[in-house]
Every structure is written in C-alpha cells, then in structure tokens.
Amino acid sequence: MVESEIEVSEDLVRALLREQHPDLAELPIREVAGGWGNQMWRLGGELTVRMQRMDDSPELQLKERRWLPVLASRLPLPIPTPVRDGAPSERFPKIWTVMTWVEGTPLDHGSITRGDHAADGLAAFLKALHVEAPADAPTASDFGAHPKDCTDGFEHFLRAVDLGPVSEDDVRAVWDDAVAAPAWEGPPVWVHGDLHPANVVVADGTLAGVVDFGALFAGDPAWDLAAAWLLLPAGCAARFFDGYGRADAAAVRRARGLAAMKSLFLMLMGQNGDRGLPGGKPEWRPAGRSALDRVLNGR
C-alpha cells in the first residue's frame, strides 16, 4: 500500500553500504527510474541495489535470493542474481539486496523492432525456465490461479479502465473462453509469473534480459505464456508458440485470457498515472492498450 512506502535517497543507500558492505560504498550510485514494490539504484557498472519500498513483506526478495542463483545458469537470457544481502537496521527497517545489473532498456520505455528474433528468444527462455520445479519451490499466492479463480480481479480492472473504442463484449469473450478452458494437469513448473513490459529489458531491437522475479512460483506456465501478447509485436504470437512447442490449446486459451487481464491492469496503472494518482505509470497505458489490441486480434 502507498502508506508503507519508504523514501530512499542516494545518501541512505550509501550509508547502508558503508555499514554493511563498505567495500562497495564508494562506487557511483544513481537511481533507476521505475519500480513499484522495490526501488533500484545502479551501483557502479555491474551491480544494482534492490530496496524494498512498497512491499511490506521480505518474502519476495528472500525468494529471489534463494532461487535466482539456481535458475540463472541454465537460462539463455540474463537475469539478476544476488551477490550481497542487506539486513534491516535502524536506518532502513526492511531488507535490501545487491544484485547483478541486467543491461538494457525496460520495454515500457523501449521497443522491439526485431519481432521474430524476440519471439524466438522468449520461446527459448521460457522453454528453459518451464521445467518441473522441486518440491520445496515457492507456490503461487496472488499469481498462478486458474482464470476462473481470478474473475474478481478481471471484473475490477474491466470496470475501472476506459476502454475507448474497444468492445467490452469482445474482452469478455476472451476472458470467458479462458475461464472455460481445462486446468493445467502437468507437474508444477517454474513460472516467472509477472512478465510485462516493465519486467523485461531490450537492446538492439530485441529481448536482452528478464528482471523482477518476485512473483516466481511453481505452477501453470500459462501465466508466462501470456507474454506472447504482452511483450511481442503484432503478428509474433504464432511464431512464439511454434518455437515454445509445449502449449496445448487449453494453455493458449488460459494464456490469452490472462493476457487480457494483465493488459487491463497495465491500462489502469497508466490511467492512474495520467490522473496523477500515487503509484501510477503513465507509460503503461499505451503498452496495455497495444497489448489488448493484440489479444483481441489473436496476434
């Protein structure tokens, strides 16, 4: 919630480093734009400091500390990995983590111009990620449910968003189809869970890395397959699914519905930004709008 936000400054970050990791304290520090649950500070050329901001619980960062080193070595795109732990203190009562920096521009501030290359890269990344997770892997909380169990959220976003020329009936038809789709029957696989334009970076017109694994869980891969519409340019979804090669018709139906819901969420965050509301992201509105168009066109 907004009231739990903690103001973080360069001086605070440097003071924390001096207390807990003094060998890193004199590296250049600069704020990285964006972020919601966490605020990022670039540390030198190869590191970043991930500070809890809106998140009340340390669980998301603790999950990243535990599992990202396990996953990173077998993924074909760079992801951040933890290198130092920051403990709560009188200066800052939440945890923080020093992680590797993933070079690139967040997609909500950039673009993909090499669509086929990005589709192939995303397919390869998710094929490598979506393997059976161990028994002690984290389970889903807010993320990971079958669409039929997410209807309240979908309805909230649909009511709150100005759809403009988009037909509400068309959006509902995609969602209703996802709700009617059979559930995932395979073993729980590793799922990023929150792939949207602010959580991937691009360079040279294509995908260059994946960030923010706070939602990581073991479950239904459809939550990641929604990225075919959320991230890729129009016309690239079919190539992505061909390259991925593991999604049956039911998974595609669930993924398309989830992509519709996530598009509405992006549009709502953008709408809030346009209205100057706390936490709003004006740049997310066009990203969500274009993603919803791709969902409705099935491309």
Side-chain angles (χ1 to χ4, degrees):
M1 297 180 65
V2 172
E3 59 265 29
S4 67
E5 181 174 357
I6 295 175
E7 185 67 30
V8 179
S9 66
E10 178 183 339
D11 289 341
L12 174 60
V13 175
R14 195 174 297 282
L16 293 172
L17 288 168
R18 284 174 176 157
E19 287 179 350
Q20 300 187 33
H21 301 287
D23 59 313
L24 302 178
E26 302 312 314
L27 291 172
I29 297 174
R30 62 179 174 86
E31 185 176 2
V32 179
W36 171 257
N38 296 278
Q39 186 175 12
M40 306 290 284
W41 291 80
R42 186 79 178 268
L43 181 62
E46 300 180 354
L47 300 174
T48 182
V49 182
R50 187 165 168 81
M51 306 285 294
Q52 264 193 279
R53 181 168 59 181
M54 308 293 272
D55 293 341
D56 290 321
S57 168
E59 291 180 5
L60 302 188
Q61 279 201 35
L62 292 175
K63 179 165 51 176
E64 291 183 324
R65 290 180 185 179
R66 168 68 178 87
W67 293 107
L68 293 190
V70 175
L71 297 174
S73 63
R74 59 179 176 79
L75 296 176
L77 288 174
I79 68 171
T81 53
V83 297
R84 303 283 184 91
D85 296 345
S89 65
E90 291 186 5
R91 289 182 183 274
F92 187 72
K94 298 186 176 187
I95 70 168
W96 48 280
T97 307
V98 180
M99 309 185 80
T100 57
W101 172 256
V102 178
E103 193 65 51
T105 302
L107 181 56
D108 59 333
H109 288 85
S111 63
I112 291 175
T113 56
R114 299 162 61 198
D116 287 351
H117 189 279
D120 294 345
L122 181 63
F125 179 85
L126 292 182
K127 282 176 67 175
L129 177 64
H130 291 168
V131 299
E132 186 172 353
D136 58 340
T139 55
S141 53
D142 294 340
F143 297 82
H146 189 284
K148 71 177 185 294
D149 298 318
C150 302
T151 296
D152 288 348
F154 170 80
E155 292 291 344
H156 168 71
F157 297 144
L158 187 62
R159 288 193 301 268
V161 166
D162 177 9
L163 290 175
V166 173
S167 165
E168 180 178 323
D169 289 342
D170 289 346
V171 180
R172 286 191 180 279
V174 172
W175 181 252
D176 290 345
D177 185 57
V179 167
W184 171 248
E185 296 182 351
V189 300
W190 282 117
V191 180
H192 179 285
D194 199 21
L195 289 176
H196 62 68
N199 287 343
V200 299
V201 296
V202 295
D204 299 323
T206 191
L207 288 177
V210 178
V211 299
D212 197 344
F213 282 74
L216 182 72
F217 66 88
D220 180 1
W223 277 79
D224 284 350
L225 301 180
W229 296 280
L230 290 169
L231 302 181
L232 299 174
C236 294
R239 183 179 179 110
F240 162 79
F241 282 109
D242 286 345
Y244 180 77
R246 301 177 185 170
D248 61 15
V252 175
R253 291 166 63 191
R254 295 194 305 276
R256 191 171 172 226
L258 292 167
M261 181 176 69
K262 292 184 177 193
S263 298
L264 293 173
F265 166 73
L266 292 172
M267 292 170 65
L268 178 58
M269 291 292 288
Q271 186 172 289
N272 288 345
D274 291 341
R275 295 173 178 175
L277 298 177
K281 303 284 186 182
E283 64 275 12
W284 286 16
R285 188 171 191 173
R289 169 72 70 187
S290 61
L292 185 61
D293 289 344
R294 294 191 293 270
V295 169
L296 296 180
N297 291 329
R299 305 173 66 239

